[in-house]
Amino acid sequence: MKRYITALTCLALCAPVLLPPQFGVGQVFAGNGNGNGNGNGNVGAGNGNNNGNGNTGSANGNGNGNGNFGNGNGNGNGNHNTGIGNGNGNGNGNVGAASGNGNGNRNNGTGNGNGNGNGNFGFGNGNANGNRNTGIGNGNGNGNGNFGFGNGNANGNHNTGIANGNANGNGKPNASGNIGYHNSGTGNIGAFNGSSGNVGAFNGNGNTSSTSGNGNLGSFNGNFNGGTYNGNGNIGSGNGNNNGN
């Protein structure tokens, strides 16, 4: 378990390291950048609602509630966070019903409540994770990649400090430090991610270079790029795709 917490902590504390030189912190967290890329690409009924609302600070509440299939998935994620880089990439890529809801809410600090409730299959999985944390790098990567009923709920909540409550309530972990379902590459959290250091779903796939499609938060970012250093460090949904071909 230690290597997975290390990967998560690095995402929260060292996000700029995951990016190529041309992607500075100022670019990734430019302006406020709250509440972007939520509720996209869902199929079914009652999916991807009420995400990314009421955030204050920078780069909070992005890329939540995307790419779900079924009923009642990916709702109420990434709301009412304060600080920098909280409540991103939650409730994505779930298949079934009532999964990936109520994650990444009411965090305060830096890098809290990201990558929760992704890539679950079944009913009632991956809900209410990564909420009400204060500090740095708490409540990330919980409730991902579960199969069945009522798994991976209410993990990584109410932590204070640094790097607490990470990587709990997940399905079988991957040898490359990925957490969730059907991730390739290294250090990815969520579902159907490739490359390295992506949080959410359907990020970093089909790139020709290992320097492309890394460090994205949300869904459908950094895919199918040619060349080098394309599609990195995006926050939201549908960014940095199909470049350099």
Side-chain angles (χ1 to χ4, degrees), residues 55-94:
N55 294 289
T56 303
S58 298
N60 299 309
N62 298 299
N64 300 293
N66 298 303
N68 297 288
F69 290 79
N71 299 311
N73 302 305
N75 299 301
N77 300 291
N79 298 310
H80 300 291
N81 296 288
T82 302
I84 300 174
N86 302 305
N88 299 301
N90 299 294
N92 299 304
N94 296 289

Side-chain angles (χ1 to χ4, degrees), residues 8-16 19 24-35 54-62 78-90 104 106-115 130 133-140 161 217 235:
L8 287 161
T9 306
C10 183
L11 283 173
L13 303 180
C14 310
L19 308 179
V25 175
Q27 286 176 282
V28 177
F29 295 143
N32 287 325
N34 299 315
N55 294 289
T56 303
S58 298
N60 299 309
N62 298 299
N79 298 310
H80 300 291
N81 296 288
T82 302
I84 300 174
N86 302 305
N88 299 301
N90 299 294
R106 299 190 182 279
N107 296 289
N108 180 34
T110 303
N112 301 305
N114 300 302
N133 296 289
T134 301
I136 300 174
N138 300 306
N140 298 300
L217 293 175
I235 299 175

